[in-house]
């Protein structure tokens, strides 16, 4: 089975599964694993790998509307080169510092390929799940879409410095905290905007109608894309951007925008059923381990 089928299988057996992170007595807990062959293109620095690995887990904390407190990581590699290890820890520490958390260590292991397994902790008394969206509300996203898609194109083209810069995203912990009081449903866009909308729709038993022209497509996407089809692919379906996708009553949006440190864009509305873009069905397609 692929990742989606495996998650469904586990969701039927684990009471805390189903959202971006588990919340137990106000403690938020999440874990991720990234591999060199699937997650770090050739040219990815160990600093970027440390930042991105830990950032992926911190993004799950953000998606719950929680305060991030700490993170740990397992660093596995064929050998422990001092420079590589030091850069990884520096990246992990810096992304934690960027969101007010602390990198507190982890574990070392030998592996045939470089692999990072990360865990992040947070705290909230009012977590935001995926199941509260209602027709008539609006759907919004933080930041910009397509950064990772553009970065992978730049890695392939040999523009390593710029690619690494785009690959290092800031987890939207601050925005998540600003959104949490009024959001009815929220998740991060690690699987891509299209798939995130389908996941929210399934969890909330609703639909969405969004407009492509309303999407905050990152300027780097249009710089690297060969045509509009590629722009759409990298911004809508590609995934791994780690922005927040959330629903909220429209009357609350102004207050959220004034509190959020990250720009927020309205991309459409919550409907009774179906997920559409520009009046046409939006494919349930995005990033999935083990197949589309």
């Amino acid at each position: 089975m692929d990742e989606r089928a495996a998650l469904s299988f586990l969701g039927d057996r684990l009471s805390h599964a189903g959202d971006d992170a588990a919340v137990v007595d106000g403690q938020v807990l999440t874990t991720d694993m990234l591999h060199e062959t699937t997650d770090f293109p050739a040219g990815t620095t160990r600093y970027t790998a440390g930042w991105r690995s830990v950032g992926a887990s911190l993004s799950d904390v953000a998606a719950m509307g929680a305060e991030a407190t700490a993170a740990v990581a397992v660093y596995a590699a064929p050998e422990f080169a001092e420079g590589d290890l030091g850069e990884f820890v520096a990246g992990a520490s810096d992304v934690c510092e960027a969101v007010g958390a602390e990198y507190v260590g982890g574990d070392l292991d030998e592996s045939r390929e470089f692999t990072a397994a990360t865990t992040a902790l947070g705290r909230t008394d009012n977590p935001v799940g995926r199941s509260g969206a209602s027709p008539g509300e609006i759907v919004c996203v933080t930041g910009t879409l397509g950064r990772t898609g553009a970065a992978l194109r730049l890695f392939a083209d040999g523009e390593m410095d710029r690619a690494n810069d785009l690959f290092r995203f800031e987890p939207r912990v601050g925005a998540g905290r600003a959104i949490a009081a009024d959001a009815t449903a929220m998740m991060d866009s690690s699987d891509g905007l299209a798939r995130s909308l389908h996941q929210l729709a399934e969890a909330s038993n609703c639909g969405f109608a969004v407009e492509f022209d309303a999407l905050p497509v990152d300027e780097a996407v249009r710089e690297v894309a060969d045509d509009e089809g590629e722009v759409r692919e990298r911004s809508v379906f590609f995934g791994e951007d780690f922005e927040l996708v959330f629903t909220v009553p429209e009357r609350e949006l102004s207050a959220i925008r004034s509190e959020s440190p990250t720009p927020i864009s309205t991309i459409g509305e919550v409907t009774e059923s179906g997920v559409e873009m520009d009046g046409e069905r939006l494919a349930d397609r995005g990033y999935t381990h083990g197949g589309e």
Side-chain angles (χ1 to χ4, degrees), residues 179-247:
I179 294 164
D182 299 301
T184 55
M186 182 160 63
M187 67 180 295
D188 81 357
S189 65
S190 56
D191 293 336
L193 175 65
R195 180 147 292 164
S196 296
L197 291 172
H198 278 276
Q199 289 171 325
L200 286 174
E202 181 178 1
S204 292
N205 192 27
C206 68
F208 293 101
V210 300
E211 300 294 329
F212 180 76
D213 286 345
L215 303 188
V217 178
D218 196 276
E219 60 181 16
V221 178
R222 296 194 183 279
E223 292 173 10
V224 304
D226 293 329
D227 52 40
E228 281 299 307
E230 186 177 354
V231 170
R232 183 177 290 255
E233 182 69 25
R234 293 185 184 270
S235 57
V236 177
F237 299 106
F238 206 90
E240 298 289 280
D241 284 326
F242 301 100
E243 296 293 351
L244 300 179
V245 184
F246 66 96
T247 58

